[in-house]
Amino acid sequence: MKKSNQEAAEKITFKNLRRLYFFALLTIALTIIISQFLVQYNLNQQLSDSKIINFSGKQRMLSQKIVKEVLIQHYVSDTASAKQISHLNDVLALWKKNQNALENGSDSLAFPKEKSETLSKLYLEINPIFNKIAQTTEAFLLNVKQKKTTAENQKFVNTILENEGIFLSKMNQIVTQYDLEAHEKVTEQRRIEYWIFGFTLLVLLLEFFFIFKPTNKKIERLIAKLLSSEKKALKLAYDTEILSEIKENSVKELKSLNYAMENTLLYCRIAPDGSIIHIGEKFAKLLNYTKFSSNKKFSEVLTVDEKEQTNFDRLIFEKQRSGWQGEISILNKENETIWLDLSMVPVMIKKDELELLIVCFNITERKKAQREVERLNLENTTEKINQQKIISSKIVENQENEQNRIAKEIHDGIGQMLTGLKFSLESINLDDRGKSEQKIEYLKKLSLDIIKGVRTATFNLMPPELSDHGIVSSLAKLTQELSKLTGKEILFYNKTDFDRRLDSLIEINIYRLTQEAINNAIKYAESSHIIVQLSHSETLLSIIVDDNGKGFDVNSVDKKRNSESGMGLLFMKERIQYINGRVFMNSIPGEGTRITFNIPILK
């Protein structure tokens, strides 16, 4: 009773902790959401404020432009053109439109209609000056159009100049006020963010002390109980093992019988004299056994051949104590030969009461397959010998070509660069310091090219990365170098972090197989993206090479054994067999190719 009360109390405690945990998470989420909304709102406000400040500054520029145009038309131009008057009208209209948007707000420009008391007061003060300049400029333009006296225009110009300074001063105050209010908004936003940040930290601190810490203590107590239960379970298991040893002999017999019944489909029980006690349903169907033939012996049901029946009765008589296992052939009622892998196991039911358990496997198809394999092996012997000859000659040819290619690379590339290095060294004149420095810089670059050429040649022969660091590092280096040389995107992924070293023969074959697959993708598939993936399990290493090339018909290439592509795939299969591996090719014309190498890993 006490234990049940304790468990109920623990359940209630965990429920309370869970509620507090969800509440804390919800609080943090709400603070983050509120903070984000405030940040976005204030950012929008700041964008609007900066736009208003920009427009306010633009108003000053436009007012100065109006004054400039008026002065030009009055003092510089003898006669104002229609284009100049139109331009001044446009500037004046834009100035009035912007001033109206600033003062009364604008939905299209996102200017607020409501303003602070200071800004409203400043706009009231600037309004008469703005109107005076606008009206005077309009009157001036009207006089210019009507070509009235210069003396009257001079009064308009003086009026505009007198009010321009006051307008600029007032606009400066408005811009300053906008900037001040924007700064106050940013300061307020920073203060709110600090409060939200502090509140979030407080929630996390409370969560640690009132949720995580109590939960940790509960879990520690629970683990202690589990460890105690584990000790008790181990002791109980040990006691059970001692008891199981006493009954081991009888359990073995039951396991043998159970295994035979569960894992075979053809079985029956017979008496030592050969009469049938019970026969399985599948076995009965195979032998055409029915209740009408229940008085027959097992040998008579097994085969219709009298000689085979006699031999089987003798086998039962001789092996009923020791048992027997072997392959037999029987002739059924349809005169068809059936091969059976038969086991006869003696089972002691009671004292001096013996039964024989017959367990069979139908191996007729296997026998047929064996005979077919023997026939095919005989037919394919000559073909395989011819293939081996072709492969051997092709290997020699490839080795010769590879040697010629390397010799050509060394002669044409490294040899010529070394000759150039020699001539450049001989031509250095230490008296001419300027030219000597240029030649030395050239020699440095030439030396780097020679080193690169030597590394490339040695990398193609036997990459040092393979012997020093293993297959993973060498494949990564191979893809990286080929990507640089070809300009194609060749990537390598070690998906299962494989880091073991393998036998040197296995590693060099894996390296050459992968190199061949990548070269085929570059040379024949015309692919631009190649991905090499390495993964492994306890007993298998798998390498997959994918490309996005033009693909091919695997069946048609397999048939063309004499073609270059067909022989390349054949060499790949031959090489993978050297290390007891398997290769799988899957290609779709127009979509790409996947080649998979599976190599067993020896423990």
Side-chain angles (χ1 to χ4, degrees):
M1 185 71 181
K2 183 178 179 181
K3 186 176 180 181
S4 62
N5 291 336
Q6 185 179 359
E7 290 178 352
E10 288 180 352
K11 286 182 180 179
I12 293 171
T13 303
F14 273 111
K15 285 182 179 179
N16 291 333
L17 289 173
R18 184 169 58 192
R19 290 194 193 98
L20 288 172
Y21 182 72
F22 284 137
F23 176 75
L25 287 179
L26 181 63
T27 304
I28 293 172
L30 287 174
T31 55
I32 293 172
I33 292 169
I34 293 170
S35 175
Q36 186 63 25
F37 274 123
L38 287 173
V39 168
Q40 294 299 324
Y41 173 77
N42 281 281
L43 284 175
N44 290 331
Q45 290 293 316
Q46 290 173 23
L47 288 173
S48 177
D49 290 342
S50 63
K51 202 170 184 181
I52 290 173
I53 293 171
N54 184 37
F55 261 69
S56 301
K58 190 176 179 182
Q59 282 298 91
R60 292 181 296 183
M61 180 270 294
L62 288 174
S63 69
Q64 291 171 346
K65 191 171 183 179
I66 290 169
V67 173
K68 177 183 173 183
E69 291 289 335
V70 169
L71 291 174
I72 288 172
Q73 291 185 19
H74 181 65
Y75 290 107
V76 178
S77 301
D78 294 333
T79 57
S81 65
K83 186 176 180 181
Q84 290 175 332
I85 295 171
S86 176
H87 177 67
L88 183 55
N89 270 324
D90 292 341
V91 174
L92 182 62
L94 178 61
W95 186 55
K96 292 164 70 177
K97 179 182 176 183
N98 288 353
Q99 187 71 16
N100 181 62
L102 286 170
E103 184 177 355
N104 301 316
S106 172
D107 294 334
S108 60
L109 297 173
F111 288 173
K113 295 180 180 179
E114 300 294 332
K115 294 179 180 58
S116 65
E117 186 177 348
T118 304
L119 283 173
S120 299
K121 183 178 178 182
L122 288 172
Y123 275 114
L124 285 175
E125 292 175 357
I126 202 172
N127 240 345
I129 301 166
F130 170 79
N131 291 332
K132 186 68 174 176
I133 294 173
Q135 291 169 5
T136 305
T137 304
E138 288 173 351
F140 173 81
L141 285 173
L142 184 61
N143 277 0
V144 170
K145 286 180 184 179
Q146 296 175 356
K147 297 181 180 180
K148 292 187 177 181
T149 60
T150 305
E152 189 176 351
N153 286 344
Q154 181 64 44
K155 293 180 182 179
F156 292 145
V157 170
N158 291 337
T159 304
I160 292 172
L161 290 175
E162 289 171 1
N163 288 278
E164 172 64 14
I166 302 170
F167 177 80
L168 291 176
S169 175
K170 292 293 182 182
M171 281 306 299
N172 284 336
Q173 293 178 18
I174 290 173
V175 171
T176 303
Q177 183 62 29
Y178 272 126
D179 185 57
L180 180 63
E181 291 182 4
H183 184 268
E184 289 177 355
K185 290 178 183 178
V186 173
T187 304
E188 182 64 23
Q189 169 64 17
R190 186 183 293 115
R191 189 182 301 112
I192 293 172
E193 285 296 320
Y194 282 146
W195 275 105
I196 293 174
F197 178 70
F199 180 73
T200 305
L201 289 179
L202 178 62
V203 171
L204 289 173
L205 190 64
L206 293 174
E207 188 174 359
F208 173 76
F209 281 108
F210 294 101
I211 298 175
F212 290 124
K213 198 171 181 180
T215 305
N216 183 53
K217 290 181 179 179
K218 289 286 182 182
I219 291 172
E220 286 178 354
R221 286 198 292 270
L222 182 60
I223 291 173
K225 289 180 181 179
L226 289 173
L227 291 174
S228 176
S229 300
E230 183 183 10
K231 290 180 180 178
K232 292 179 182 178
L234 289 172
K235 187 177 182 304
L236 183 61
Y238 178 75
D239 295 339
T240 305
E241 186 178 357
I242 294 174
L243 292 174
S244 65
E245 289 178 359
I246 300 173
K247 301 178 181 179
E248 185 175 358
N249 293 330
S250 58
V251 169
K252 283 182 179 179
E253 293 178 359
L254 290 173
K255 280 185 178 180
S256 298
L257 181 60
N258 184 60
Y259 180 84
M261 298 296 290
E262 290 185 359
N263 294 277
T264 61
L265 298 175
L266 306 176
Y267 72 94
C268 72
R269 291 161 50 211
I270 63 172
D273 61 356
S275 58
I276 297 174
I277 299 173
H278 174 74
I279 186 169
E281 183 179 351
K282 294 292 182 182
F283 205 4
K285 287 182 180 180
L286 179 66
L287 301 177
N288 293 323
Y289 175 82
T290 62
K291 62 182 180 179
F292 299 107
S293 56
S294 58
N295 57 347
K296 291 183 179 181
K297 287 188 175 183
F298 179 67
S299 59
E300 296 173 353
V301 175
L302 189 65
T303 178
V304 296
D305 187 279
E306 293 182 358
K307 186 177 179 181
E308 291 178 355
Q309 293 174 2
T310 304
N311 290 336
F312 196 75
D313 286 337
R314 186 174 66 254
L315 182 66
I316 293 174
F317 177 76
E318 293 175 354
K319 301 294 182 180
Q320 59 182 261
R321 292 290 178 181
S322 60
W324 182 84
Q325 192 275 332
E327 296 179 358
I328 63 170
S329 64
I330 61 173
L331 191 66
N332 64 8
K333 294 179 180 179
E334 286 79 17
N335 289 324
E336 296 176 346
T337 300
I338 298 175
W339 281 88
L340 297 176
D341 185 353
L342 186 144
S343 297
M344 183 169 61
V345 182
V347 179
M348 190 66 68
I349 304 301
K350 295 180 182 178
K351 188 177 181 180
D352 298 331
E353 186 177 342
L354 181 68
E355 284 187 7
L356 296 175
L357 178 64
I358 305 294
V359 180
C360 299
F361 295 94
N362 189 346
I363 58 171
T364 306
E365 294 298 326
R366 191 180 76 188
K367 285 290 184 180
K368 290 181 181 179
Q370 286 177 353
R371 286 196 292 270
E372 182 67 18
V373 168
E374 290 172 1
R375 186 184 67 81
L376 292 174
N377 286 337
L378 192 61
E379 291 178 355
N380 292 335
T381 301
T382 305
E383 183 183 351
K384 286 187 177 179
I385 292 172
N386 293 333
Q387 285 182 4
Q388 289 298 327
K389 289 181 180 178
I390 294 172
I391 292 171
S392 299
S393 64
K394 199 68 178 178
I395 289 173
V396 172
E397 182 184 346
N398 287 340
Q399 289 176 346
E400 188 67 27
N401 291 336
E402 184 67 15
Q403 290 174 0
N404 291 335
R405 185 185 64 79
I406 294 170
K408 186 176 180 183
E409 283 182 1
I410 294 173
H411 180 270
D412 296 345
I414 300 172
Q416 290 184 5
M417 287 190 286
L418 287 172
T419 303
L421 180 64
K422 175 180 175 299
F423 289 147
S424 298
L425 285 170
E426 291 175 351
S427 65
I428 292 177
N429 183 6
L430 296 178
D431 296 333
D432 191 345
R433 186 177 182 84
K435 289 186 177 179
S436 297
E437 289 179 353
Q438 292 179 359
K439 287 187 177 181
I440 289 171
E441 289 299 323
Y442 169 73
L443 290 174
K444 288 180 181 178
K445 181 179 180 300
L446 187 59
S447 300
L448 291 175
D449 292 339
I450 293 171
I451 292 170
K452 183 178 178 181
V454 172
R455 285 180 176 173
T456 302
T458 55
F459 182 79
N460 289 331
L461 285 171
M462 174 57 72
E465 197 80 20
L466 187 62
S467 57
D468 295 340
H469 303 291
I471 188 62
V472 175
S473 182
S474 61
L475 289 181
K477 184 71 172 178
L478 172 67
T479 54
Q480 183 181 1
E481 292 295 327
L482 287 177
S483 182
K484 289 179 181 178
L485 291 172
T486 62
K488 299 180 184 295
E489 187 174 8
I490 306 174
L491 304 175
F492 172 74
Y493 297 101
N494 184 2
K495 296 177 69 176
T496 55
D497 295 329
F498 181 75
D499 59 355
R500 286 176 54 184
R501 291 300 304 268
L502 304 175
D503 182 77
S504 59
L505 178 63
I506 294 175
E507 287 189 338
I508 188 61
N509 276 283
I510 293 173
Y511 180 84
R512 293 303 182 197
L513 284 165
T514 309
Q515 188 180 38
E516 178 71 14
I518 297 174
N519 286 336
N520 287 344
I522 296 171
K523 185 177 180 182
Y524 301 112
E526 300 176 2
S527 55
S528 60
H529 292 76
I530 302 170
I531 298 176
V532 181
Q533 303 178 67
L534 183 145
S535 59
H536 77 289
S537 63
E538 292 183 0
T539 58
L540 191 70
L541 178 67
S542 181
I543 297 173
I544 300 173
V545 181
D546 286 314
D547 68 69
N548 66 340
K550 60 184 180 182
F552 63 93
D553 187 348
V554 178
N555 295 327
S556 64
V557 172
D558 278 340
K559 293 176 182 177
K560 298 177 182 177
R561 293 293 176 87
N562 295 325
S563 67
E564 186 175 359
S565 57
M567 292 304 297
L569 297 180
L570 183 60
F571 294 151
M572 200 176 289
K573 292 178 181 178
E574 289 290 331
R575 186 183 282 273
I576 195 72
Q577 288 178 2
Y578 293 156
I579 53 177
N580 298 322
R582 299 184 67 187
V583 59
F584 302 94
M585 299 182 188
N586 184 17
S587 183
I588 300 175
E591 294 188 15
T593 302
R594 165 171 285 190
I595 299 178
T596 303
F597 303 109
N598 288 338
I599 302 96
I601 302 175
L602 299 178
K603 292 185 178 180

